[in-house]
Amino acid sequence: MRNYWYDNIKGVLVLLVVFGHLLTDVRGVYDDILPKWVYLFLYTFHMPLFIMLSGYFYRENRYLRVIQLFVVYVIWQVILGSWFAFTEGIPIFSLENPGLNLLKPYWALWYLMAIIFWYIITPYVTQLKGYVLYALLFALLFGFQAEATGYFALRKVIMFYPFFLIGNWMSERNTLNFFELPKRAEQRNRYRIGGAIVFVTLTIGLLVSMRVQQADTFYHIGNLFKFRFAYDTAVPEAMWSGPFAFLIVYTVSLLMSISFALIIPGRKLPVFSRAGRYSLYVYLVHVFFVVAWKAFVPAGFMPTSWMQLLVLFGVAFVMVLVIISPPMVRLLRPLVEIDVRRVQNTKGVKG
């Protein structure tokens, strides 16, 4: 029986991913701080929680899944990178086309690259006692590395990896079984109330910090939660404080992610349950729509930022609806759910 709680979480998160990508350029258009705060709010939890769920459902010895994800990555790297090149007037068959550089994941495709790496290395990492702490320590130390080439999405692979391992750790200890067992309704309600209190408290804390920070500073704080920059860029005024700054970021993201997940309903929800089931479709295809949107629609076409946010959220919702529609899913399935079982059959025949 399908657990709609997980589908609902992924459905809400993937909608926020689309919204966040539409919102990226809007932060610099309006003078007020609202778009910057919304952007920060989204990035405190939506990707960390997505990655924790990936770790929660990770299972060892899934080499076919790795092969499948790699094939999907190559196909969509070419498609989406070439589409971007087309919208920017870049010759498709040139080295400037990001779709032809398989070593540098184009935009959101870093996530597929990261999942591939994590699936490969996790069976070895989890042999270590306290493997989550080791991954966290390595990520904090890597912040001193100024690498910014983008090859293999290395920085995000390393910096987001602790969230993947936390999800795996939770799965091994079955920490979320009270959301999977029907008889645990009373326990679920207590955790939901607690989650709501923590989530609201942290959200208010972000609002308060918004009031005391300058706009430029708050803009950079928002980028901290994207794990894109080394310490010399993220905290240039005090580089050696980087590990402490990012330790706070990890803590806030973890608390925001878990508390947000706890308040999501477990029953089947219109749109969101289906969006969660086909979250990979949305994650891949939305880039196509977002690139087209940004190529033809100005970043700030509404008179106020809050109106712009409402419009973009509606646009994101429509994009999700289109992508998860049955005709679109049938059309895209050969490019997303690629059958690689022949590899296993061939291996069995040779053996």
Side-chain angles (χ1 to χ4, degrees):
M1 182 177 179
R2 195 169 188 92
N3 190 314
Y4 291 114
W5 182 54
Y6 298 116
D7 283 339
N8 293 339
I9 295 173
K10 291 190 293 184
V12 174
L13 291 178
V14 82
L15 171 61
L16 296 181
V17 167
V18 180
F19 179 50
H21 284 160
L22 286 170
L23 185 59
T24 302
D25 297 336
V26 177
R27 291 180 296 165
V29 175
Y30 296 94
D31 293 332
D32 62 297
I33 205 168
L34 179 61
K36 300 177 181 64
W37 178 82
V38 173
Y39 191 80
L40 168 60
F41 172 74
L42 294 180
Y43 277 88
T44 56
F45 69 91
H46 82 310
M47 282 313 301
L49 180 53
F50 226 126
I51 292 167
M52 287 172 63
L53 285 178
S54 298
Y56 190 82
F57 290 106
Y58 162 78
R59 298 295 180 269
E60 291 187 11
N61 302 320
R62 298 186 65 184
Y63 71 95
L64 281 181
R65 180 59 170 162
V66 173
I67 296 173
Q68 182 189 46
L69 288 174
F70 180 74
V71 174
V72 171
Y73 165 75
V74 171
I75 291 174
W76 286 93
Q77 173 78 358
V78 174
I79 292 175
L80 296 177
S82 299
W83 171 242
F84 170 79
F86 173 76
T87 61
E88 294 294 314
I90 299 172
I92 300 298
F93 300 102
S94 73
L95 295 179
E96 296 180 23
N97 177 4
L100 301 183
N101 190 345
L102 299 181
L103 301 183
K104 287 186 176 182
Y106 172 67
W107 202 5
L109 292 180
W110 70 264
Y111 178 68
L112 275 187
M113 178 67 77
I115 289 290
I116 292 170
F117 274 111
W118 295 338
Y119 267 56
I120 293 173
I121 67 176
T122 296
Y124 306 100
V125 173
T126 52
Q127 297 300 312
L128 301 172
K129 187 176 181 179
Y131 55 87
V132 175
L133 294 179
Y134 280 114
L136 178 60
L137 178 61
F138 185 74
L140 292 175
L141 291 175
F142 187 78
F144 289 107
Q145 170 58 250
E147 176 276 334
T149 62
Y151 284 110
F152 304 109
L154 185 60
R155 184 169 301 282
K156 289 193 174 185
V157 168
I158 293 173
M159 301 297 283
F160 276 111
Y161 191 39
F163 294 113
F164 184 87
L165 291 178
I166 289 171
N168 181 65
W169 181 89
M170 295 174 68
S171 177
E172 289 180 345
R173 286 151 185 80
N174 205 17
T175 56
L176 299 179
N177 65 339
F178 55 88
F179 273 93
E180 299 169 355
L181 300 176
K183 295 182 180 180
R184 298 288 187 89
E186 184 177 345
Q187 187 178 15
R188 286 196 298 273
N189 290 334
R190 289 200 302 268
Y191 276 93
R192 282 202 171 99
I193 293 173
I197 293 173
V198 172
F199 189 77
V200 171
T201 300
L202 290 172
T203 301
I204 293 174
L206 290 174
L207 282 168
V208 172
S209 66
M210 176 185 69
R211 295 299 183 185
V212 300
Q213 297 284 354
Q214 295 180 355
D216 291 342
T217 303
F218 206 75
Y219 182 92
H220 292 301
I221 292 175
N223 280 332
L224 287 180
F225 284 91
K226 298 179 71 175
F227 299 96
R228 288 182 55 189
F229 305 106
Y231 296 150
D232 60 353
T233 301
V235 283
E237 66 284 351
M239 181 177 174
W240 288 99
S241 69
F244 301 101
F246 271 90
L247 193 58
I248 295 173
V249 167
Y250 278 113
T251 302
V252 172
S253 289
L254 179 62
L255 292 174
M256 289 284 285
S257 298
I258 295 176
S259 59
F260 180 80
L262 292 177
I263 62 179
I264 297 297
R267 65 184 183 278
K268 186 176 181 180
L269 297 177
V271 181
F272 294 108
S273 296
R274 183 173 175 84
R277 183 175 182 179
Y278 295 106
S279 58
L280 183 58
Y281 287 72
V282 179
Y283 198 90
L284 292 171
V285 181
H286 88 277
V287 177
F288 188 91
F289 290 108
V290 171
V291 168
W293 176 270
K294 291 187 176 185
F296 301 107
V297 181
F301 60 90
M302 297 299 290
T304 61
S305 63
W306 67 266
M307 294 175 65
Q308 180 78 2
L309 294 178
L310 287 177
V311 170
L312 291 182
F313 189 82
V315 170
F317 192 80
V318 171
M319 287 181 180
V320 172
L321 282 177
V322 171
I323 296 170
I324 66 174
S325 64
M328 185 67 80
V329 170
R330 286 194 297 268
L331 178 67
L332 296 171
R333 182 171 284 121
L335 297 176
V336 179
E337 299 182 34
I338 299 172
D339 189 358
V340 294
R341 287 174 295 181
R342 293 180 181 179
V343 176
Q344 188 178 40
N345 294 337
T346 301
K347 184 179 179 180
V349 171
K350 290 182 178 180

